[in-house]
Amino acid sequence: MAKMTIKDVAVAGRKVIVRVDFNVPLDAGQQIVDDTRIQAALPTIRYLLEQDAAVIIMSHLGRPKGAVVPEMSLKPVAARLGELLGRKVEMAPDCIGDQVRDMAAQLQPGQVLMLENLRFHAAEEANEPEFARELGALGDIYVNDAFGAAHRAHGSTEGITHHLSPAVSGLLMDKEITYLDETLKNPSRPFVAILGGAKIAGDKKNPGKIEVIQNLMDKVDALLIGGGMAYTFYKAMGLEIGNSLLEENSIPTARSVMDNAERQGVELLLSVDCVVADKFAADARTQVVPREQIPAGWEGLDIGPQTRRLFTDKIATARTIAWNGPLGVFEMDAFAHGTLEIGRAVAAASDQGAISIIGGGDTAAAIAQAGLAERMTHISTGGGASLECMGGRVLPGVAALTEKE
Ligand code: ADP
Ligand code: MG
C-alpha cells in the first residue's frame, strides 16, 4: 500500500503545487527564529526545480483563524526560502483568487511562487470543496511534504486531492511514512518501545500516549515506561507517589496496560527508581529512592540510576527502537540525566545498525539539545502527527495520496 512519491511522476515542464509545513516561529519583528522546517522541505523543492518543474508552495503559519493577520504573513518565509534556494521566490498576495491564478498561470519551469497563508481563509480548516478546487486549479500535480499537518483533513492536505491527480508525497513526507508507518508495522526484532512524557489520556483533538501504548503493545517485544506517566502506573500498583504527576482518570487504563502486557507476553519494564524533589524547581533538594519509597510531599521528576541501567541494557539488544516522551523533566538540568542517558543508549544502538524512530516534539527537542540528532535513524518533524501515526491512526493527508501501481 505504498504511496506515490515525486520520484514516480514526470514533473518536467509541469506546474507542481507543494504543501509544506512552513509554520516557523517568528519574533515580534517578524524575523524567523528557527528555519528548521524550511530547511526540511528543501530537498523536495530542489529536486522539483532540478527536474525543471514550476513550483507553487503553500503553507499555513500560526493561527489566524480565517482572518488576514499581517503579522502571520508568509512574506518573511518566502524571503528566507529565496536565500536558501539562491533564487527569487515570488510572493502571491493571497492563496486563491484571480490575481493568484494569473501569477500561477504565468509561472515558468524553474520559477517558484509562494502562496499567502492558507489559514487566512476559514475554508482551509473547514475543508470547503470550492476552496480546495481553487487551490487545485493552480497546478497540474499535487505534492504533500507537510507531514506535521497530515493529521488534519484540511483543504490543502485532503480536499485538494479530490481536484488534482496524482497526489504524491514529497521526500520528507515519504521518509516519515516509511519509518512511522511501514517500519513500525513491520519491525526487525527485537522491537523495543520507550514511552515517557506527561499525558496518558487523550482529548477530543489530540491522542494521548495511551493510543501509542496500545498500538505498539501488539507489535513490540518490550515496552519501557518512564517519565511523568509512570506515577499513574505506580498508583495503579497501590504505591504512594507523594506529589508526583497523577492522572486519576487513567489509573484503570494503567492497570489494563499491565494486564494486557502480561496476557500478550510483552515484557513491560516500568521504571523501578526515581529522582524525587521537594519542589518542582531547578534548585530543589533531590534524592534517589526506589519506587516503593517516595516520601510524602516529594515528587518524582526523573528516572533513577537503576532504571537507567535496566533500560539501557534492554535498548542495547534492540534491532528497532521507537521512542516517544522524555523520561524526566529534561528542561531542568537536574532532571535531564535519565533522558540524556537513554538518548545516548538509543544513539549507540543506532550506531550498531538498529533503526531508531523518534516521535513527539519534546522528545525531538531533548535529543537535539543533547546533540544526538545526527545518530538517530529518523526524528519525526510532526509532533501531533507523529503521535497519531505511532498510535496507529490513519492520517487523512496520507490516506488521500495516490497509491503506487
Ligand atoms: P512529546 O512532546 O515528546 O510527545 P510530552 O509532551 O508527552 O512529550 O512530554 C514532555 C513533557 O513531559 C516535558 O515537558 C517533561 O518535562 C514532562 N515530564 C517528563 N517527566 C516528568 C515527570 N516525572 N513529572 C512531570 N513532568 C514530566
Ligand atoms: Mg509535547
Side-chain angles (χ1 to χ4, degrees):
M1 280 246 309
K3 298 296 183 180
M4 281 179 82
T5 80
I6 49 173
K7 298 279 173 85
D8 300 316
V9 283
V11 297
R14 317 290 302 277
K15 286 199 174 68
V16 181
I17 182 160
V18 189
R19 174 56 156 109
V20 294
D21 179 3
F22 282 176
N23 184 26
V24 294
L26 299 177
D27 67 14
Q30 273 90 258
Q31 296 290 312
I32 296 166
V33 179
D34 177 0
D35 69 0
T36 307
R37 287 180 167 165
I38 305 177
Q39 302 269 7
L42 288 179
T44 292
I45 298 170
R46 285 204 178 109
Y47 173 83
L48 292 170
L49 291 171
E50 279 160 15
Q51 299 292 312
D52 223 22
V55 179
I56 302 165
I57 313 258
M58 58 177 172
S59 177
H60 73 285
L61 177 70
R63 297 174 187 277
K65 304 218 168 103
V68 176
V69 179
E71 294 74 35
M72 296 180 191
S73 168
L74 280 160
K75 269 186 214 120
V77 177
R80 175 65 60 88
L81 178 63
E83 285 164 27
L84 292 169
L85 289 173
R87 65 177 88 194
K88 187 165 187 282
V89 173
E90 195 86 44
M91 184 69 208
D94 199 346
C95 59
I96 53 168
D98 293 347
Q99 212 183 328
V100 178
R101 195 177 320 123
D102 288 345
M103 289 176 90
Q106 279 157 30
L107 200 69
Q108 297 301 311
Q111 293 182 338
V112 186
L113 173 65
M114 175 105 158
L115 306 185
E116 186 52 282
N117 196 337
L118 293 158
R119 291 193 189 166
F120 284 178
H121 294 263
E124 157 68 355
E125 289 185 81
N127 198 3
E128 283 172 22
E130 179 53 25
F131 176 78
R133 191 195 61 74
E134 277 201 61
L135 286 179
L138 299 175
D140 307 314
I141 293 168
Y142 170 72
V143 175
N144 192 344
D145 214 22
F147 180 73
H151 57 318
R152 305 283 183 240
H154 292 167
S156 66
T157 61
E158 197 275 339
I160 189 171
T161 65
H162 299 288
H163 304 282
L164 199 52
S165 173
V168 307
S169 57
L171 300 174
L172 176 62
M173 175 71 100
D174 183 47
K175 187 164 179 260
E176 296 275 12
I177 296 173
T178 298
Y179 288 112
L180 286 160
D181 191 56
E182 291 163 21
T183 304
L184 292 187
K185 279 184 185 143
N186 214 341
S188 302
R189 301 193 174 279
F191 177 21
V192 173
I194 310 160
L195 268 298
K199 283 201 76 188
I200 299 177
D203 53 40
K204 242 187 273 148
K205 263 198 135 177
N206 302 296
K209 307 283 173 187
I210 185 57
E211 282 188 34
V212 181
I213 294 175
Q214 278 164 343
N215 180 47
L216 294 180
M217 178 81 82
D218 297 334
K219 304 174 173 68
V220 296
D221 299 288
L223 189 58
L224 281 40
I225 295 182
M229 74 158 100
Y231 299 90
T232 300
F233 283 80
Y234 293 174
K235 195 79 184 177
M237 294 162 71
L239 302 176
E240 291 303 326
I241 62 170
N243 292 343
S244 307
L245 202 65
L246 172 63
E247 225 171 280
E248 196 86 50
N249 293 338
S250 295
I251 294 175
T253 308
R255 202 170 287 131
S256 75
V257 166
M258 293 187 280
D259 291 345
N260 289 345
E262 172 130 28
R263 185 152 16 91
Q264 293 179 232
V266 168
E267 189 178 8
L268 177 68
L269 299 182
L270 185 60
S271 49
V272 293
D273 59 350
C274 21
V275 178
V276 293
D278 65 349
K279 57 180 176 180
F280 189 88
D283 64 348
R285 282 198 300 148
T286 65
Q287 52 176 317
V288 173
V289 294
R291 66 186 179 196
E292 294 82 7
Q293 291 171 29
I294 299 174
W298 292 60
E299 55 195 300
L301 297 181
D302 197 5
I303 54 174
Q306 219 184 311
T307 306
R308 301 205 291 260
R309 205 166 319 122
L310 186 69
F311 284 9
T312 52
D313 285 351
K314 184 53 67 178
I315 289 164
T317 68
R319 300 292 305 151
T320 307
I321 302 160
W323 182 9
N324 171 236
L327 298 158
V329 183
F330 73 97
E331 295 93 339
M332 297 185 225
D333 287 345
F335 312 109
H337 299 292
T339 303
L340 288 179
E341 194 166 326
I342 297 315
R344 285 192 287 267
V346 175
S350 312
D351 294 343
Q352 299 298 313
I355 291 176
S356 51
I357 302 161
I358 319 288
D362 290 298
T363 315
I367 288 168
Q369 193 179 307
L372 298 168
E374 297 302 316
R375 293 163 66 193
M376 306 299 180
T377 311
H378 181 65
I379 302 179
S380 179
T381 55
S386 67
L387 205 57
E388 292 202 12
C389 226
M390 286 180 146
R393 289 197 195 182
V394 176
L395 309 187
V398 174
L401 299 175
T402 311
E403 299 278 334
K404 270 186 192 172
E405 289 295 319

